[in-house]
Amino acid sequence: MRRDILLTRRVQPAAIFARAWLACVTVLFVLPLPALASEAEPSGLATTRSDLSAKDLRRVLAVTRPTTDFSKAEQFEVMQGGAGTSTKAANRDAFSHSSANITFEEEATFKVGNGLFRKLWVSAPSSTQASDGLGPLFNARACQSCHLKDGRGHPPEGNPDATSMFLRLARTAETEAEKKAVAERTVLNFPDPVYGGQFQDLAVPGLASEGKMAISYQEIPVTLADGTKLSVRQPSYSVTDLSQGPLDPRTTLSPRVTPQMIGLGLIEQIHPADILGHADSDDRDSDGISGKPSIVRDHTSGELTLGRFGWKASNPTVRRQAAEAFANDIGLSNPDVPLHWGGCTEAQKDCFTMPNGVQQRLGDTELPDPIMDLVTFYSQNLAVPARRDIDKPDVLAGKKVFYDLGCASCHTPKFVTRRDAPNKAQAFQLIWPYSDFLLHDMGEGLADGQQVGDADGREWRTPPLWGIGLTKTVNGHTFFLHDGRARNLTEAVLWHGGEGQKARDGFAALAKSDREALIRFLESL
């Protein structure tokens, strides 16, 4: 039997979670009430909450108000994934647990989805017909191969295996017709005419891969205000051993490491009004932060909606994110992206001579709907781990520094999810992702020069910070940012430019004790 969504199903240790439970059922003070949604608002782009009563809306406004008291932890703070937060040990499996508030029957669905997420696919034809269809060109044989332990990928770092990192290939719209197509959201950008939208360094037997990714680094010295000397590394990307000739000279290379998987279903159920409410594309308040939403076209309904997944917020749903990964990363067609030969382009004639894994008795694509449903459910219900050390003086001091530097302007601490979420496990949950899910100009240093829909070559979606302190525990490394260039959290902060420049410079000017406190706060997330 499902527990009430405002309660935690597992209540250990008792001292911490009793406090969270009591806080969850407290009606807080009343704030001014904005207008409720009108029926004319498109559901995917609604600017007011249509799912809440006036009473609930007041509660939500109160509980999501930014804190001004850094003398103690906030109520609910330990349960950063709401009632679904995992309270299990913070070990290598910390990102692989199911949401704590799903039903017993849903646990079974989660486990089957987990099996499919870990499944190693093989090329067709195969005696194991339920496992064939790989490629012909691909980057990995399993979802888990990229999302290591459901966590964060990393650069090759001297290892030829680049499985958890890949290159997006694209050019910006040039003609008026192309610009119109992007403006109307019928395309995001324009892939390389030969190699397509993603560089694939693996291929099935009998077919040459597209080539190899090459990375070199230049160390750039940085001296902080207190005299501390360190360095950050500037990466340079290229491709070698190209099997189909050179890339188009207009094609840009955008490196991407795979992000962690936790909390995706909760992110999906943040009401669009709460994300759009943080947008300030023209920086009308003159705070230097001008986050803008990524508006994309839903491939199922054809309607405009809010993008919130991916490094440039190009996908609106967990299912669409999974469908594109299956098609482009592994080469498996599915009802959402029915490409039986994956990322093969018309110029790659040999690719289309290879067999695919479509079996009519199972459906029209290599992955039928039931598999997509199971993997989507698994991806939506990977639990966010509980916070650690939230009452420690250095963590509280670091939290204050985080707010004082303006980090919370983009890394929005908390939201309350939709009350009308399809699955009650994600409904009306107070969550702490530390992201506004908007696009921000991060400066020339982090620019990839690649347009992706509304995102230009300097813009990236604010990545959620929850779980970031467990990266080393789960994945054995501390590589951060979209391409893993930052070798630790300090370097990640120092790479912030553009809208993040003021916070970066403030960090560089801090005393050592304050810098260390900020890092301790981030490590507690």
Side-chain angles (χ1 to χ4, degrees):
M1 181 177 66
R2 188 191 299 276
R3 300 293 181 94
D4 186 278
I5 57 173
L6 294 181
L7 308 183
T8 58
R9 196 175 71 176
R10 296 174 183 139
V11 290
Q12 297 176 347
I16 294 177
F17 297 110
R19 181 177 62 192
W21 175 81
L22 287 171
C24 282
V25 295
T26 301
V27 178
L28 300 180
F29 55 87
V30 175
L31 294 181
L33 180 64
L36 295 175
S38 70
E39 293 182 1
E41 290 178 322
S43 60
L45 296 174
T47 56
T48 47
R49 300 246 348 211
S50 57
D51 60 314
L52 300 178
S53 67
K55 178 182 177 181
D56 281 343
L57 185 54
R58 286 192 291 266
R59 294 175 65 197
V60 167
L61 289 170
V63 79
T64 56
R65 171 184 280 180
T67 187
T68 57
D69 181 1
F70 302 99
S71 65
K72 61 182 183 300
E74 296 174 72
Q75 293 178 319
F76 325 121
E77 195 168 6
V78 69
M79 303 292 285
Q80 59 181 348
T85 301
S86 170
T87 62
K88 294 184 178 180
N91 55 26
R92 285 205 68 204
D93 294 321
F95 293 165
S96 299
H97 302 301
S98 62
S99 299
N101 60 340
I102 61 175
T103 66
F104 181 79
E105 292 78 10
E106 287 172 333
E107 288 276 5
T109 303
F110 178 88
K111 288 179 169 62
V112 176
N114 184 18
L116 292 167
F117 194 82
R118 295 170 176 270
K119 185 183 184 68
L120 291 172
W121 299 88
V122 298
S123 57
S126 168
S127 60
T128 56
Q129 292 185 353
S131 300
D132 67 1
L134 177 69
L137 296 168
F138 61 99
N139 294 101
R141 289 181 58 200
C143 305
Q144 189 76 211
S145 299
C146 291
H147 299 278
L148 309 170
K149 301 291 288 183
D150 304 297
R152 190 183 304 269
H154 59 82
E157 294 302 305
N159 188 322
D161 177 17
T163 300
S164 63
M165 183 176 184
F166 57 85
L167 296 171
R168 294 280 194 202
L169 309 177
R171 65 172 174 83
T172 300
E174 296 177 346
T175 68
E176 289 304 314
E178 289 176 345
K179 292 176 182 177
K180 181 181 178 182
V182 173
E184 293 179 346
R185 275 84 178 188
T186 57
V187 299
L188 294 172
N189 52 27
F190 298 89
D192 186 86
V194 174
Y195 293 94
Q198 187 164 310
F199 192 69
Q200 292 158 323
D201 59 355
L202 298 172
V204 299
L207 184 69
S209 71
E210 292 184 328
K212 301 296 179 185
M213 173 174 59
I215 312 173
S216 60
Y217 293 101
Q218 175 187 1
E219 292 290 339
I220 301 175
V222 177
T223 301
L224 305 182
D226 64 359
T228 299
K229 296 182 183 297
L230 40 80
S231 69
V232 297
R233 57 180 190 171
Q234 172 73 61
S236 178
Y237 298 95
S238 60
V239 289
T240 64
D241 303 326
L242 293 171
S243 62
Q244 305 288 322
L247 294 172
D248 187 289
R250 300 169 296 174
T251 297
T252 56
L253 307 179
S254 181
R256 314 280 178 90
V257 296
T258 50
Q260 63 194 26
M261 297 286 293
I262 58 173
L264 298 185
L266 293 167
I267 293 170
E268 191 170 38
Q269 295 309 319
I270 297 173
H271 198 285
D274 289 346
I275 295 176
L276 294 171
H278 288 281
D280 184 17
S281 300
D282 299 321
D283 192 19
R284 286 170 294 183
D285 59 5
S286 301
D287 66 349
I289 305 299
S290 53
K292 72 180 186 185
S294 170
I295 306 302
V296 299
R297 194 167 294 281
D298 187 290
H299 291 77
T300 302
S301 67
E303 296 180 355
L304 294 181
T305 189
L306 183 66
R308 57 184 82 194
F309 298 105
W311 283 104
K312 297 214 175 191
S314 55
N315 280 319
T317 64
V318 174
R319 180 178 172 117
R320 183 69 191 187
Q321 185 78 2
E324 291 198 355
F326 269 126
N328 296 316
D329 300 352
I330 307 179
L332 294 170
S333 62
N334 56 79
D336 297 66
V337 187
L339 301 175
H340 305 323
W341 286 271
C344 298
T345 68
E346 293 181 1
Q348 297 169 315
K349 303 298 184 184
D350 291 345
C351 195
F352 287 98
T353 67
M354 309 304 293
N356 63 57
V358 176
Q359 301 167 55
Q360 290 301 321
R361 64 185 178 84
L362 298 178
D364 297 329
T365 56
E366 291 165 320
L367 296 183
D369 264 318
I371 290 181
M372 286 302 302
D373 292 342
L374 288 163
V375 173
T376 299
F377 185 85
Y378 172 76
S379 302
Q380 289 170 329
N381 286 283
L382 282 161
V384 180
R387 283 281 305 278
R388 302 157 309 286
D389 302 327
I390 61 172
D391 291 315
K392 295 288 184 66
D394 55 348
V395 171
L396 291 169
K399 182 179 177 181
K400 184 176 188 302
V401 173
F402 184 86
Y403 277 73
D404 288 346
L405 290 177
C407 304
S409 297
C410 298
H411 291 282
T412 304
K414 47 192 170 175
F415 293 89
V416 173
T417 60
R418 304 179 69 115
R419 185 178 275 285
D420 58 357
N423 188 328
K424 291 183 179 179
Q426 281 98 43
F428 208 50
Q429 298 296 318
L430 174 62
I431 62 173
W432 304 69
Y434 284 90
S435 172
D436 60 7
F437 304 100
L438 297 172
L439 300 171
H440 293 275
D441 179 349
M442 293 304 295
E444 193 59 35
L446 290 178
D448 65 349
Q450 190 170 109
Q451 177 187 30
V452 182
D454 287 336
D456 66 28
R458 292 165 55 108
E459 291 176 322
W460 300 93
R461 182 200 72 158
T462 307
L465 297 181
W466 54 12
I468 197 169
L470 291 173
T471 302
K472 186 172 184 179
T473 299
V474 173
N475 295 123
H477 68 79
T478 55
F479 296 114
F480 300 109
L481 301 179
H482 67 277
D483 56 1
R485 71 177 66 187
R487 292 164 290 197
N488 50 58
L489 290 169
T490 295
E491 289 186 23
V493 176
L494 291 173
W495 268 112
H496 282 53
E499 296 173 47
Q501 187 71 45
K502 183 178 178 181
R504 179 262 178 217
D505 292 345
F507 175 77
L510 291 172
K512 181 180 180 181
S513 59
D514 289 333
R515 291 199 310 273
E516 290 177 345
L518 175 63
I519 299 303
R520 279 287 293 121
F521 167 68
L522 295 175
E523 289 172 343
S524 77
L525 296 177

